[in-house]
Amino acid sequence: MMTSRERVEAALAHREPDFVPVDIWGSASRINTELYMAVAKELGIDPQKTGRLIRPGSDTQYEDYALADMLGSDFRHINIGKPKGFQSYKDENGYAIDEWGVGRSLVGLYPTIVKHPLADAGMEELEAFQTPHAEDPGRIEGLGELARHYYEDTDKYVTACSAHSGQVFDICQYLRGTEQFLVDLYEEEEFARLLIQKVSDYLIRLNLYYLEPIAPYIGWVEFTSDFGAQHAPFISNQMFRDFFKEPYTALFSAIKQKYPHLKIFLHSCGSVNDLIEEFIGCGVDVMNPIQPLCDHMDSAALKERYGDRVTFHGAIDIQQAINGSMDEVKNEVGRRIQALARGGGYILSAANHIQRNAPVENVIAMFRFAKELGKYPL
């Protein structure tokens, strides 16, 4: 029987391991906090003892590797720390302001961006705009020791979670507003290009700083950048090539040049079938989440088109199947394994964070079915 690390490495090399690898607690594979507490209770786990608060203020605040091990996960994940030189605060409107000046507030059940600091900026204001301090020691404090512990004292595959909740395309929207930034790409090209350059330069510095103490112990570094909606991408392939291919390639290349052993993991929600070709061209090795109910995201078709060039991660539907009957959960797990796992190249996980409306028994069953149905030969 393979170790977890051997299992993941085989899948990444497009070889069939003993079982399909399973992941939880990565950048896009967490569990809603309320649901996590319920799952922990069902499994007899005390979150006060085993849970680790890593994303305060979000709706997926915890990671818990006691729970992950009970569910059969093959992974450990490193999360970047908070800067010492800045603390988020609430402004006069009650918005939580981050180090970019972006403001968030609860809208319904979810923290939502409600303040965009560059919404009304012109070129002069953009030129003067300062990105956060990337090399703040609080970001990496204790990470080297933790990564070494995971690597030497467990047999798990260790990764670096995304250093930022969003990359170039997303952060530009946080700063400018989604509608305004998309308009900028058409009508304010000079502004858009300068904003993209500032953000991408910062992300290169941030990621290289973040990876320095942990790179010897990890296998991939995760990025999150949502280019897709339910029915289509936000932008065309040509617009991606015109504005984003160069900065994303530069970001991924900077990492691979300094740490050639690292693979690049990219999370991009939604219908991104055609853009996957562009992502691979930028240097992406692992593609997540492969949302199966989005248009043009048929699992078997994706495997046929891209399966020899990229490893798929995720794919278990959380829009319908995870909330359905036990048979629906089992059928969903079996369907994705049959479509994506032949010949290796697939790591099973939920197709995004599992939300609070998922039944506890379904969440536990998803991982149980992964082992039952994911044994090679399929």
Side-chain angles (χ1 to χ4, degrees):
M1 186 172 178
M2 289 181 166
T3 66
S4 287
R5 195 169 301 152
E6 291 168 342
R7 186 172 299 127
V8 176
E9 288 172 346
L12 291 169
H14 296 269
R15 293 184 283 106
E16 292 189 351
D18 54 349
F19 291 91
V20 173
V22 171
D23 189 16
I24 189 172
W25 302 128
S27 297
S29 58
R30 307 185 196 279
I31 303 178
N32 167 271
T33 298
E34 181 181 317
L35 179 60
Y36 154 63
M37 296 293 180
V39 172
K41 181 179 180 181
E42 181 67 21
L43 293 175
I45 292 172
D46 183 356
Q48 297 296 321
K49 295 179 179 178
T50 61
R52 184 164 175 251
L53 182 65
I54 56 168
R55 305 176 77 223
S58 75
D59 63 315
T60 53
Q61 298 186 77
Y62 288 88
E63 66 179 13
D64 187 330
Y65 286 113
L67 183 147
D69 290 347
M70 290 185 72
L71 295 176
S73 175
D74 293 293
F75 285 80
R76 291 289 188 270
H77 301 284
I78 301 298
N79 290 273
I80 195 167
K82 300 295 183 184
K84 289 187 172 182
F86 178 88
Q87 287 190 339
S88 62
Y89 63 94
K90 289 192 174 181
D91 68 5
E92 65 279 4
N93 298 309
Y95 301 155
I97 306 300
D98 68 16
E99 57 184 326
W100 291 85
V102 172
R104 290 173 172 82
S105 182
L106 278 180
V107 176
L109 297 173
Y110 299 97
T112 302
I113 295 176
V114 291
K115 180 178 180 179
H116 308 278
L118 296 178
D120 301 314
M123 283 298 294
E124 186 175 341
E125 291 91 342
L126 177 59
E127 288 170 352
F129 180 75
Q130 297 295 309
T131 58
H133 178 48
E135 296 84 3
D136 186 298
R139 302 190 196 278
I140 62 171
E141 188 173 49
L143 295 190
E145 294 82 356
L146 181 61
R148 185 173 65 250
H149 161 62
Y150 285 160
Y151 185 82
E152 294 180 352
D153 300 331
T154 81
D155 70 354
K156 305 299 184 181
Y157 191 86
V158 189
T159 87
C161 282
S162 182
H164 199 285
S165 59
Q167 306 304 314
V168 182
F169 183 61
D170 314 73
I171 298 173
C172 290
Q173 295 173 66
Y174 302 165
L175 294 170
R176 187 71 163 151
T178 297
E179 181 177 346
Q180 185 58 58
F181 180 62
L182 294 176
V183 169
D184 291 340
L185 297 175
Y186 288 94
E187 297 188 355
E188 299 290 343
E189 182 174 334
E190 183 183 7
F191 187 100
R193 290 194 183 280
L194 178 57
L195 179 57
I196 289 167
Q197 188 65 55
K198 277 179 169 279
V199 171
S200 59
D201 286 348
Y202 169 79
L203 287 173
I204 290 172
R205 296 196 311 273
L206 175 66
N207 279 279
L208 291 179
Y209 182 69
Y210 170 40
L211 293 173
E212 186 173 356
I214 64 176
Y217 312 109
I218 65 172
W220 76 47
V221 55
E222 301 179 9
F223 294 90
T224 60
S225 204
D226 288 335
F227 282 95
Q230 186 73 18
H231 302 294
F234 285 109
I235 60 174
S236 67
N237 283 42
Q238 187 58 54
M239 182 162 283
F240 180 88
R241 289 191 286 269
D242 288 347
F243 286 92
F244 299 102
K245 189 156 193 176
E246 183 176 339
Y248 277 86
T249 301
L251 173 58
F252 301 156
S253 295
I255 290 168
K256 289 190 172 186
Q257 286 171 8
K258 188 166 184 181
Y259 305 111
H261 70 287
L262 291 183
K263 295 185 180 297
I264 300 296
F265 170 113
L266 179 65
H267 163 86
S268 186
C269 283
S271 176
V272 292
N273 188 327
D274 288 341
L275 282 175
I276 293 175
E277 190 71 52
E278 307 295 343
F279 300 152
I280 293 171
C282 293
V284 170
D285 303 293
V286 183
M287 191 69 222
N288 165 277
I290 316 299
Q291 283 182 266
L293 297 193
C294 293
D295 289 1
H296 315 298
M297 294 296 288
D298 177 76
S299 298
L302 292 171
K303 181 74 169 183
E304 177 67 23
R305 183 175 182 183
Y306 303 112
D308 60 336
R309 292 178 290 157
V310 70
T311 295
F312 294 113
H313 179 288
I316 303 301
D317 170 44
I318 66 165
Q319 293 179 276
Q320 294 181 11
I322 197 69
N323 305 315
S325 68
M326 194 63 67
D327 283 344
E328 287 175 301
V329 176
K330 184 174 184 178
N331 290 339
E332 172 66 12
V333 171
R335 184 182 302 118
R336 302 309 157 199
I337 288 173
Q338 289 298 318
L340 295 167
R342 296 187 183 279
Y346 177 51
I347 296 164
L348 186 147
S349 188
N352 219 314
H353 304 314
I354 305 177
Q355 300 301 305
R356 69 184 71 226
N357 59 337
V360 169
E361 60 271 20
N362 285 13
V363 175
I364 296 170
M366 183 188 92
F367 291 93
R368 183 177 73 249
F369 292 141
K371 287 300 182 187
E372 290 179 8
L373 304 176
K375 181 176 173 58
Y376 288 96
L378 299 177

